[in-house]
Amino acid sequence: MTWLRNLTTGLRSLISKPRVDSELDEELASFAASSAADKQRAGMSPREARRAARAEIGSVAAVKHQVWSSRWEGVLDNFFHDLRYSFRMMLKSPGFTLIALLSLALGIGANTAIFTLLNAILLRPLPVLKPQELYLFGPGRAAGSAGGLPDDKTQLFSYPFFREISQKTQSFSGIASLCSLQLGNYASIDGAPYTPVHIDLVSGNYFSVLGVPAFLGRTISTDDDRTAGAGPVAVASYAWFQRQFHGDPSALGKIIHIQEHDYTLIGVAQPGFFGVTVGQSTNLWIPLSMEKEVSPGWNGLNDKLFQSLYLIGRLKPGISVSQASAETNAFFKQVLRAEYVGNPPSQKELQAIQHASIELTPAERGISRLRRAFGLPLKILMTIVALVLLIACANIANMLLARGVARTREIAVRMALGASRARIVIQLLTESLLLACLGAGIGVALAWRTGAMLLNMAAPGPEPVPVNLTPDLPVLGFTLGITVVTALLFGMLPAFKATSLEFTPALKDGRGSSSAKTRGALSRSLIVGQVALSVLLLIAAGLFLHSLLKLTSIDTGFDKRNTLLFSMDSSTANLPHGTPDEIRSVHLQEQIEQRVQSIPGVKADSFAFFTFNEGGWTSDVTFNGIPRTPENSRAVANNNVGNGFFEAMGIPLVAGRAFNDHDTQTSPKVAIINETMAHRFFPNESPIGRRFGFGEDTAHSNDIEVVGVVKDAKYFGLTEDATMADYFPCTQNVGFYGNFLVRYAPGANRQLLVSQIRAAIAQTNPNILVTNVSSLEEQVDQSISTQSLIAKLSAFFGVLAVFLACIGIYGLLNYSVARRTSELGIRLALGAQSNSLLWMILRESIVLLTVGLVIGVPVALATTRILKSQLYELSPLDPLSISTAVAIIAVMTVFAAWLPARRATRIDPMTALRCE
Amino acid sequence: MPEFPKSEESEKAPSIPEPKSGDLVQGTLEMLILKTLALQPMHGYGVALRIEQVSGGVFRVNPGSLLPALSRMERAGHVKSEWRASENNRRAKYYLLTAKGRNALEAETEQWDRQAAAIRRILEA
């Protein structure tokens, strides 16, 4: 236990340093006294003896220092000493400290915020047992259900196929499945009011395959998932359990009422587990056997062609992915061949099976559509903020260099008094580290909530995206790492520079020593680097802004102004599904439409399956008597709408008629198509009165009659190409469509309208819940929210970068003007024109600017290619963005240089000449 | 009688004191201190003086290396210290050998003997 005693003694002597110091003093004094007494005995005079003894001991401070540094606590003591000293130095130059702290806080804060997002969305593994063994069948891009024979890279699977492969697989120790769509629903616990819940339907082995234990009770077992309708149990997520029951274990066994069925709460999953989809947060897991009960309109446990499940397998130890992939694909084709096609199979079916495949993708970090949407933008932002931090480092390094020159004398004195170079370098680095740590502290405080805010800006919606953004070990490690690296980056060079000085001239005046020249070269190259990086950032920002401008000026085809969009949920209204009675839903919609129509200020209103950027339903169509061409066999975007839809959207009718009350469930089936569809099928004639049907089969091509043609619009997103679209009346495609669009007269009181419309809906059916109110404008903005966030952030950071570069230039020139005061004074006294002096100073900054641009612009030209996929109809070499960036940085730097230059011309020759 | 052969020099350049233990093989200083203290408890100056006298003036130990060495050894538990009155009636810190220090001295002496013998054999070969 020697080390323990060592530790305690060390700490004790650290705490009572003054006592230890005075003891050392006394020991040394008695040493000197004994020595002097000896020398006196040897014949020296008392005075001589004392002198000799003192000389023998040398510097008392140095001896004490050596004793201290022979012990471990000496290092700590030095560190504390350095810290105190650093604090004093920081307080001595508040301007420098403020600018350095501010730029560090912004730089480190921005890096932390973006990394928090990057970590949560792209890097963090699932909190399950050995996540690296998990593989998803297919890339997990699609969600929903796919019908028809698989003929491509398959990602959604049917329940029968899941049962079969999970029993027969040799390569996986287990294969679990879950419904690819998280079901939003409403639940009532023990008769309490309904609250929204997010439900994942999962197979019985879901928890055991993932290796997620129960925190309380038990998880879902295979028995719960054996027979359809016979597993009315639910497992809650820990977070939901805490929210609903405040962690009360007696919640187990409570009854949760969802869609007219009761589920018993049997357990709570391990804390931290939110399901396997990043960006979704599951409240309840319910066995797939209850699919029909949870989701009445959308199910098919026995349907081979209702392919709606994700499959996740855990690889057996010792089996390679390629082995597993070979086995899985062979089995897949075998099942398709045996059960999915006719006997004998047609040529076409054989071809489809040929192309059908399952790609095993690592599921270590879960399934995520967020990752696809934000992956590249996040990496771009990460690069941008890293560059900003680099610029901030260059800036601080520059200021430290300048301070190093100002402190030449101080450092020379300390070295003359016996401080080693290493000691001073460490002290200077401690100053840098202190600065970086304080900056990081402020930065982390800034970043604390920024991550969530940014995510909300990137993906706005009624609810925040449930991504866990609490800082974890990787985030803290990252921040600590960049803080230390930052401190070394900006502190190292100035510290070494400051200590490599020549003593005599430095001690004499502390100015004009030979290091000033090299310092100048160093700061100049730092500024050139700053200018180059800033122009890179500005060009990127310009590209994003220009692209955003182009995006926002796209003609949507509909009028997004003066609209309200209500999202509704009917799951607690107990509407009929899949029965002839389902028309009741449509009648309910019509009642709401009529009631709202009569509110003053409402011009038009309509329910619709989709408005804009809400996903879609697409299919092939075939017109009676029209041969299929590559042009007209593309997918058509379908929509089911109310009678007032086109008026509410502001989409003009160009031929035929809109839907009206005569289009009923029993009247002939009708459709309205858009111009692109009309043109592709009928380049030269009117499509009115022509008939078409779904699919490639001509047997159905007489089903539906075209009664009208409307102008094209955007359907899924702003950047889509011309898309064929058709619309059907809700009466002929029954269902409750939760989108209710209202167009109001310009200038109407929106607030009042919203409450009146809410009241009208509640009057019609109080069980219909309005879950969100937005507008077409918001829908359009949301569809480009990522682009607009990137544009705004990159512009902010670009401007920040230029600002920092300008501070650098200002500082350098200001210093050089101050140093050359006497020279400038002489020049003025000898008759130099103030204009030529101005030019002399400005010239220096223009040289730096030019060199920076000469480096920065080609680098930008070479690298902006990576941004191509994020730019809309804009070349990464867009001359407008590049020239604007160059112009901005030129104007800013010249302005920054002009301030000190003007000061140079105002020097009074007399004062200047006296100054040194 | 102690001699001060380098006192002239040390008066000239007092500004940057360097530990003068370069004359001693690294690590042997502690052994010499242990050996010195094995006779009787001594204060710092006593140790320095004794080493210098016994070595015939070859080894001069100044406080810059003696005190850190004593501090290290005290921390390692080889010596302990107490304040006593010195011969000229001042308070002085006396160092005492501990049992652990005695063992260390034995071990170090033995090792030194082995090494010295080996070096001698090599030099005479």
Side-chain angles (χ1 to χ4, degrees):
Chain A
M1 295 313 253
T2 323
W3 64 268
L4 190 68
R5 206 182 50 217
N6 194 351
L7 185 74
T8 47
T9 332
L11 285 178
R12 215 177 304 140
S13 76
L14 207 55
I15 294 164
S16 51
K17 194 180 177 210
R19 191 179 54 78
V20 176
D21 260 347
S22 73
E23 278 185 10
L24 262 175
D25 278 336
E26 192 174 356
E27 187 173 7
L28 277 166
S30 89
F31 193 104
S34 301
S35 175
D38 249 356
K39 291 178 187 11
Q40 220 173 315
R41 248 170 279 147
M44 285 193 191
S45 71
R47 212 186 131 112
E48 239 179 318
R50 271 201 302 279
R51 219 175 103 98
R54 266 208 309 278
E56 200 178 42
I57 290 170
S59 152
V60 172
V63 173
K64 272 159 73 179
H65 178 73
Q66 270 158 16
V67 172
W68 269 102
S69 49
S70 75
R71 306 168 175 169
W72 66 266
E73 70 265 25
V75 179
L76 262 186
D77 184 55
N78 278 346
F79 180 67
F80 289 140
H81 185 267
D82 288 352
L83 269 188
R84 277 196 301 276
Y85 189 78
S86 305
F87 261 117
R88 281 207 303 275
M89 290 312 289
M90 280 172 61
L91 291 179
K92 258 176 82 177
S93 40
F96 161 78
T97 309
L98 192 74
I99 290 179
L101 280 186
L102 208 64
S103 46
L104 280 172
L106 275 172
I108 295 178
N111 273 278
T112 304
I114 303 286
F115 183 77
T116 308
L117 284 177
L118 198 78
N119 177 50
I121 294 176
L122 299 180
L123 303 178
R124 192 188 290 150
L126 286 179
V128 303
L129 184 74
K130 293 189 187 154
Q132 70 281 5
E133 287 177 356
L134 295 176
Y135 282 85
L136 181 70
F137 286 38
R141 288 207 192 102
S145 82
L149 184 64
D151 61 352
D152 201 354
K153 284 187 177 148
T154 313
Q155 30 190 337
L156 295 170
F157 301 89
S158 69
Y159 191 69
F161 176 73
F162 156 66
R163 290 304 275 265
E164 211 164 341
I165 194 168
S166 65
Q167 277 158 22
K168 303 238 170 88
T169 178
Q170 298 293 317
S171 322
F172 293 95
S173 60
I175 297 177
S177 69
L178 73 153
C179 182
S180 60
L181 278 187
Q182 185 174 57
L183 302 170
N185 221 314
Y186 285 79
S188 153
I189 302 153
D190 268 353
Y194 282 94
T195 50
V197 283
H198 298 292
I199 299 169
D200 266 356
L201 292 175
V202 298
S203 61
N205 61 355
Y206 176 82
F207 287 97
S208 61
V209 168
L210 291 180
V212 174
F215 171 74
L216 262 185
R218 66 171 178 94
T219 56
I220 292 169
S221 74
T222 38
D223 285 336
D224 300 315
D225 186 30
R226 211 176 289 284
T227 324
V233 296
V235 170
S237 76
Y238 180 78
W240 191 78
F241 165 71
Q242 287 294 336
R243 245 192 348 263
Q244 294 289 331
F245 303 109
H246 312 290
D248 179 7
S250 70
L252 289 190
K254 290 237 182 202
I255 300 299
I256 303 173
H257 192 74
I258 301 163
Q259 292 276 6
E260 302 306 307
H261 288 273
D262 287 338
Y263 300 82
T264 311
L265 185 67
I266 53 167
V268 177
Q270 165 185 243
F273 181 68
F274 297 98
V276 292
T277 309
V278 180
Q280 284 182 2
S281 156
T282 309
N283 302 138
L284 287 175
W285 288 275
I286 289 177
L288 267 167
S289 57
M290 305 304 289
E291 187 176 65
K292 186 160 180 267
E293 286 73 16
V294 175
S295 142
W298 193 72
N299 56 69
L301 280 187
N302 299 318
D303 185 354
K304 283 202 263 295
L305 293 179
F306 183 73
Q307 297 160 109
S308 67
L309 303 179
Y310 286 143
L311 264 49
I312 293 181
R314 182 179 288 281
L315 214 55
K316 273 185 188 164
I319 303 271
S320 74
V321 186
S322 52
Q323 278 171 303
S325 171
E327 194 226 4
T328 309
N329 275 290
F331 182 77
F332 186 45
K333 286 182 198 240
Q334 185 193 327
V335 170
L336 290 180
R337 184 73 191 273
E339 298 170 21
Y340 280 67
V341 294
N343 192 16
S346 72
Q347 199 58 37
K348 216 179 147 191
E349 287 171 331
L350 280 179
Q351 250 178 25
I353 294 178
Q354 187 94 48
H355 291 129
S357 69
I358 296 175
E359 185 192 346
L360 294 180
T361 42
E364 183 184 358
R365 289 165 293 141
I367 306 165
S368 180
R369 288 181 287 280
L370 271 188
R371 194 173 299 148
R372 222 170 39 254
F374 298 142
L376 189 61
L378 273 177
K379 284 177 199 159
I380 292 172
L381 281 180
M382 195 74 233
T383 316
I384 289 178
V385 292
L387 290 181
V388 169
L389 187 58
L390 208 59
I391 292 174
C393 282
N395 208 31
I396 298 170
N398 227 337
M399 292 194 279
L400 282 177
L401 278 175
R403 260 160 51 96
V405 174
R407 283 168 70 177
T408 308
R409 195 183 196 135
E410 168 209 332
I411 287 165
V413 168
R414 290 171 62 192
M415 285 174 91
L417 287 178
S420 66
R421 183 175 178 192
R423 187 71 190 72
I424 291 184
V425 167
I426 287 175
Q427 194 271 317
L428 290 176
L429 282 182
T430 309
E431 271 186 57
S432 302
L433 196 66
L434 179 70
L435 209 54
C437 284
L438 287 177
I442 306 173
V444 168
L446 283 179
W448 199 256
R449 290 274 148 229
T450 316
M453 213 177 73
L454 288 178
L455 191 60
N456 212 28
M457 277 167 79
E463 288 176 61
V465 182
V467 170
N468 183 6
L469 292 176
T470 42
D472 51 6
L473 268 183
V475 171
L476 294 178
F478 171 84
T479 307
L480 195 66
I482 57 167
T483 307
V484 172
V485 168
T486 307
L488 289 180
L489 267 183
F490 70 71
M492 204 65 131
L493 209 60
F496 278 110
K497 196 87 216 133
T499 50
S500 66
L501 40 86
E502 286 159 46
F503 271 112
T504 333
L507 278 173
K508 271 189 195 136
D509 68 350
R511 266 203 250 181
S513 72
S514 65
S515 69
K517 207 178 255 166
T518 44
R519 177 197 99 87
L522 253 177
S523 1
R524 279 186 182 82
S525 29
L526 283 173
I527 286 181
V528 164
Q530 278 180 282
V531 170
L533 287 177
S534 319
V535 80
L536 181 70
L537 291 184
L538 269 192
I539 288 177
L543 287 172
F544 286 131
L545 282 174
H546 195 180
S547 163
L548 182 67
L549 212 63
K550 287 197 156 202
L551 272 176
T552 47
S553 58
I554 290 174
D555 179 16
T556 56
F558 53 82
D559 183 3
K560 63 181 181 183
R561 293 163 302 169
N562 303 326
T563 56
L564 284 169
L565 186 61
F566 294 79
S567 307
M568 296 180 204
D569 187 282
S570 65
S571 62
T572 57
N574 197 19
L575 292 173
H577 285 283
T579 62
D581 221 17
E582 201 166 352
I583 190 70
R584 262 179 49 204
S585 295
V586 179
H587 292 324
L588 177 65
Q589 288 176 185
E590 286 170 350
Q591 282 166 20
I592 295 176
E593 282 170 359
Q594 276 160 18
R595 234 183 246 269
V596 171
Q597 181 74 64
S598 63
I599 296 172
V602 171
K603 288 176 73 182
D605 65 343
S606 169
F607 273 84
F609 202 171
F610 308 108
T611 54
F612 170 72
N613 188 37
E614 297 176 315
W617 157 44
T618 60
S619 54
D620 284 3
V621 302
T622 309
F623 266 88
N624 197 7
I626 303 289
R628 287 175 71 84
T629 64
E631 272 273 275
N632 70 26
S633 359
R634 303 232 188 109
V636 178
N638 305 311
N639 201 353
N640 301 324
V641 301
N643 293 347
F645 181 75
F646 298 107
E647 213 184 318
M649 282 292 278
I651 298 178
L653 190 73
V654 289
R657 64 169 177 89
F659 299 129
N660 57 38
D661 292 343
H662 302 295
D663 300 313
T664 64
Q665 201 172 16
T666 48
S667 69
K669 298 226 167 198
V670 293
I672 291 171
I673 64 175
N674 73 352
E675 281 184 311
T676 299
M677 184 162 167
H679 187 75
R680 292 212 181 139
F681 282 97
F682 306 98
N684 304 314
E685 46 189 313
S686 163
I688 305 289
R690 304 297 293 255
R691 298 182 154 274
F692 70 99
F694 290 128
E696 295 170 38
D697 200 343
T698 46
H700 298 291
S701 64
N702 226 2
D703 287 358
I704 308 162
E705 186 192 336
V706 175
V707 294
V709 177
V710 290
K711 280 235 180 249
D712 282 357
K714 298 290 179 190
Y715 307 98
F716 307 106
L718 284 179
T719 58
E720 73 197 15
D721 296 327
T723 308
M724 295 194 284
D726 52 12
Y727 302 86
F728 309 105
C730 287
T731 45
Q732 296 180 348
N733 264 333
V734 295
F736 187 84
Y737 302 111
N739 260 322
F740 181 54
L741 181 66
V742 177
R743 173 168 299 281
Y744 54 84
N749 182 344
R750 232 177 107 106
Q751 238 26 58
L752 182 68
L753 272 179
V754 170
S755 55
Q756 283 173 326
I757 294 169
R758 275 179 183 275
I761 295 166
Q763 273 166 25
T764 319
N765 184 335
N767 290 326
I768 299 283
L769 302 171
V770 174
T771 53
N772 188 35
V773 182
S774 67
S775 67
L776 286 179
E777 259 162 347
E778 282 172 49
Q779 296 284 106
V780 172
D781 288 348
Q782 278 179 25
S783 75
I784 51 169
S785 52
T786 313
Q787 289 92 328
S788 110
L789 180 70
I790 290 194
K792 285 176 197 156
L793 283 183
S794 62
F796 172 73
F797 287 123
V799 169
L800 183 68
V802 175
F803 180 67
L804 289 177
C806 287
I807 290 184
I809 289 184
Y810 173 81
L812 179 81
L813 293 185
N814 207 12
Y815 173 73
S816 98
V817 166
R819 219 165 40 111
R820 289 161 73 183
T821 309
S822 53
E823 176 207 328
L824 294 169
I826 294 172
R827 281 174 188 267
L828 276 172
L830 291 180
Q833 293 297 310
S834 62
N835 271 348
S836 69
L837 276 190
L838 194 71
W839 173 241
M840 193 179 87
I841 305 290
L842 276 185
R843 202 175 49 198
E844 196 176 343
S845 75
I846 290 172
V847 169
L848 294 179
L849 171 70
T850 316
V851 179
L853 288 179
V854 164
I855 298 171
V857 173
V859 170
L861 293 184
T863 49
T864 46
R865 254 177 307 136
I866 339 169
L867 310 179
K868 190 159 181 25
S869 67
Q870 301 293 313
L871 301 176
Y872 172 68
E873 285 187 353
L874 190 70
S875 154
L877 305 178
D878 173 44
L880 181 65
S881 309
I882 294 172
S883 46
T884 316
V886 170
I888 289 178
I889 196 154
V891 169
M892 295 276 287
T893 47
V894 170
F895 177 69
W898 183 72
L899 294 174
R902 199 186 48 162
R903 241 191 40 205
T905 62
R906 302 229 168 132
I907 290 173
D908 172 17
M910 278 324 287
T911 358
L913 287 173
R914 283 204 203 99
C915 134
E916 236 170 300
Chain B
M1 281 296 133
E3 289 173 15
F4 300 96
K6 290 179 185 169
S7 63
E8 299 275 315
E9 247 180 70
S10 53
E11 254 191 76
K12 263 186 202 162
S15 60
I16 307 173
E18 289 281 331
K20 290 255 164 60
S21 59
D23 297 342
L24 280 172
V25 181
Q26 189 73 36
T28 47
L29 176 61
E30 291 190 19
M31 181 173 72
L32 298 186
I33 296 173
L34 284 173
K35 177 71 190 167
T36 311
L37 289 178
L39 301 174
Q40 64 182 76
M42 281 181 210
H43 53 63
Y45 179 72
V47 174
L49 186 65
R50 167 116 195 131
I51 289 178
E52 192 176 336
Q53 280 174 342
V54 173
S55 70
V58 174
F59 294 142
R60 290 185 61 249
V61 190
N62 67 16
S65 40
L66 179 69
L67 294 190
L70 281 168
S71 146
R72 261 198 310 275
M73 291 160 71
E74 189 176 3
R75 201 49 81 72
H78 291 174
V79 299
K80 56 184 184 187
S81 64
E82 55 188 52
W83 290 92
R84 294 182 189 174
S86 73
E87 60 283 346
N88 49 3
N89 276 332
R90 286 185 76 116
R91 225 161 72 97
K93 201 175 187 182
Y94 276 75
Y95 292 90
L96 290 74
L97 202 62
T98 62
K100 202 172 168 192
R102 213 167 282 281
N103 292 339
L105 174 62
E106 266 169 43
E108 278 178 39
T109 315
E110 197 178 305
Q111 198 187 353
W112 174 260
D113 285 344
R114 259 206 322 276
Q115 283 173 351
I119 292 170
R120 182 142 294 278
R121 276 199 298 280
I122 294 169
L123 291 178
E124 289 172 353

